[in-house]
Amino acid sequence: MTTTPTSPSPASPSLIATLPGRYYTDPEVFRQEQEKLFESLWCCAVRSADLGAPGAFRTVRVGRESVVVTRTRTGELRAFLNVCRHRGARLCTEEAGEVRRGLQCPYHAWTYDLDGRLIAAPNLIKMPDIDRTEYGLIKVALREWLGYAWVCLADEPPSFEDTVMHAAVERLGDAAAVERYGTERLDLGRRVTYDVRANWKLIVENFMECYHCATIHPELTEVLPEFADGYAAQYYVGHGAEFGPGVEGFTVDGGAGFARLPEVSADQDRRYYAITVKPAVFVNLVPDHVILHRVFPLAVDRTLVECDWLYAPEVVASGADVSRSVELFHRVNVQDFEACERTQPAMSSRAYRRGGVLVPSEHHIGVFHDWLLTALGGTRA
Ligand code: FES
Ligand SMILES: [Fe+2]
């Protein structure tokens, strides 16, 4: 099949074409995306602090693979394909756990240490020709950034700096701007997982634009009045949407939040910044917390979104009530994902066979589409 869309240019010069509907419904497109995006690029897998002590492990879906991330005895994180080298059983069947010595396969008990080395197997002693070093777990590239383990399944991963970190520089216009939030030092205040019945691209595209904000986000537009004009923070490089005049904090009712994170600069205060790291990670920065979304496509029409609200350690340790703070973006998430779920069924309608259109404030979504088509090896018609 070809990945070239057949959408003609829209008749009105201010409009550009979206992708055709089949990009959101065709299992073959989804397979190509898994292979060429999620299994080739850096994906944000797990929060580093979720693997607190040596021996902790987490399993996470990356593209079509299951990956196990471990905390080694010396405190580093490692990632492996979650497949036993003996006869291929899934090694870790739980989402998270802690082991004392190593990971033991539940099938024939081959055992691997936290660095992935094969350390024991029944009767191994009677098979002296077996070179244990040959049968360690298959390693996956791992980098830590913003307090998360990012993994890449590619044999030769792309530059982390030029792809993942570049997304933050490109959006904020300054490499230091995201670092000032000290995200890797923050603690988890709340995590909500959303099971969304929509294609992952609808979720990304929705996050990138604010044309819908006035219609579906009453609480958000109260806090960030400029969003009511339909221009997303992502529309301008380096621009953060400013809090409204009477707004004290990024909370559901605009009431006070928490103290500004220590290194956030004065010009970043009272502003909301959003970064999309392709293929599908969203970083939201406000003066007193960071909200990070990890997007896991499960099927062409189903996507899991894990959203973390991160606060200064003293806020979490004090048991402070974060609920009004969490509630604002939780509502935004629910409002957004409901919109995506309303859109998904129409993707297979004949009305959307040639796709829809992007208005000027959404034109940057066209850049995302071009990026996607290039990665899949096609071109825009
Ligand atoms: S498949 Fe894992 S020990 Fe046999
Ligand atoms: Fe939204």
Side-chain angles (χ1 to χ4, degrees):
M1 65 160 284
T2 170
T3 55
T4 307
T6 51
S7 313
S9 299
S12 314
S14 63
L15 301 176
I16 60 174
T18 67
L19 296 172
R22 69 183 172 83
Y23 273 75
Y24 304 85
T25 60
D26 185 342
E28 174 57 17
V29 171
F30 184 73
R31 190 197 64 72
Q32 288 192 25
E33 290 169 346
Q34 293 284 48
E35 182 189 325
K36 295 180 177 158
L37 306 177
F38 294 92
E39 296 166 17
S40 299
L41 303 174
W42 288 98
C43 294
C44 188
V46 298
R47 193 168 165 265
S48 305
D50 288 343
L51 297 123
F57 71 86
R58 288 228 156 202
T59 54
V60 61
R61 187 181 165 119
V62 181
R64 293 160 297 180
E65 297 280 3
S66 173
V67 170
V68 55
V69 182
T70 64
R71 173 80 64 190
T72 69
R73 291 274 153 242
T74 47
E76 289 100 33
L77 293 181
R78 298 266 186 268
F80 311 98
L81 295 179
N82 188 12
V83 175
C84 178
R85 294 296 307 282
H86 174 221
R87 297 243 316 278
R90 174 142 304 179
L91 188 63
C92 300
T93 49
E94 283 138 34
E95 217 173 282
E98 213 168 307
V99 291
R100 281 188 52 205
R101 256 185 86 223
L103 304 163
Q104 187 176 71
C105 178
Y107 196 178
H108 313 89
W110 279 31
T111 304
Y112 305 88
D113 72 10
L114 297 157
D115 284 293
R117 285 182 290 252
L118 178 65
I119 50 170
N123 303 330
L124 195 60
I125 222 96
K126 295 185 194 147
M127 301 175 269
D129 62 315
I130 294 182
D131 179 359
R132 291 184 203 197
T133 57
E134 280 290 310
Y135 292 95
L137 297 174
I138 308 285
K139 271 206 168 75
V140 170
L142 183 149
R143 283 283 300 264
E144 285 186 81
W145 189 56
L146 303 183
Y148 286 78
W150 300 67
V151 300
C152 181
L153 297 181
D155 292 334
E156 286 178 34
S159 156
F160 191 83
E161 288 71 16
D162 294 349
T163 55
V164 175
M165 293 168 85
H166 179 69
V169 178
E170 199 178 38
R171 176 90 334 269
L172 303 183
D174 168 13
V178 69
E179 302 298 341
R180 287 190 209 111
Y181 291 82
T183 312
E184 64 283 0
R185 294 187 292 280
L186 303 182
D187 278 352
L188 186 67
R190 188 74 56 88
R191 170 171 294 160
V192 180
T193 302
Y194 305 86
D195 191 345
V196 188
R197 302 288 160 156
N199 183 270
W200 69 277
K201 296 189 296 300
L202 290 179
I203 296 171
V204 174
E205 293 160 6
N206 172 81
F207 185 76
M208 293 178 79
E209 55 97 353
C210 209
Y211 191 43
H212 66 269
C213 290
T215 327
I216 70 171
H217 296 317
E219 301 86 359
L220 184 66
T221 45
E222 277 293 314
V223 172
L224 306 174
E226 66 185 83
F227 271 12
D229 298 337
Y231 284 89
Q234 306 203 24
Y235 191 78
Y236 317 95
V237 175
H239 178 75
E242 197 170 3
F243 292 5
V247 169
E248 291 177 69
F250 197 73
T251 60
V252 70
D253 54 7
F258 302 101
R260 187 165 104 193
L261 294 167
E263 287 160 39
V264 167
S265 63
D267 60 319
Q268 290 171 305
D269 198 10
R270 297 184 56 75
R271 285 180 185 272
Y272 162 87
Y273 296 86
I275 304 163
T276 307
V277 183
K278 295 189 286 283
V281 175
F282 313 148
V283 185
N284 307 267
L285 306 165
V286 288
D288 63 336
H289 64 284
V290 172
I291 306 164
L292 192 140
H293 298 75
R294 284 165 291 152
V295 177
F296 300 94
L298 300 184
V300 72
D301 57 356
R302 187 172 168 208
T303 308
L304 213 66
V305 182
E306 200 156 81
C307 185
D308 290 347
W309 281 261
L310 305 160
Y311 297 88
E314 56 275 19
V315 169
V316 177
S318 71
D321 180 12
V322 296
S323 60
R324 283 180 320 111
S325 170
V326 168
E327 184 64 16
L328 176 55
F329 225 88
H330 172 61
R331 285 196 199 178
V332 169
N333 285 338
V334 169
Q335 292 154 350
D336 279 334
F337 301 153
E338 282 177 359
C340 295
E341 289 184 339
R342 271 198 301 279
T343 308
Q344 180 65 33
M347 296 294 103
S348 52
S349 163
R350 66 202 65 212
Y352 210 73
R353 200 174 278 157
R354 284 153 50 153
V357 291
L358 299 167
V359 301
S361 64
E362 301 171 309
H363 279 190
H364 53 299
I365 295 174
V367 178
F368 169 64
H369 291 159
D370 289 340
W371 170 85
L372 180 105
L373 292 170
T374 303
L376 298 187
T379 50
R380 184 182 283 272

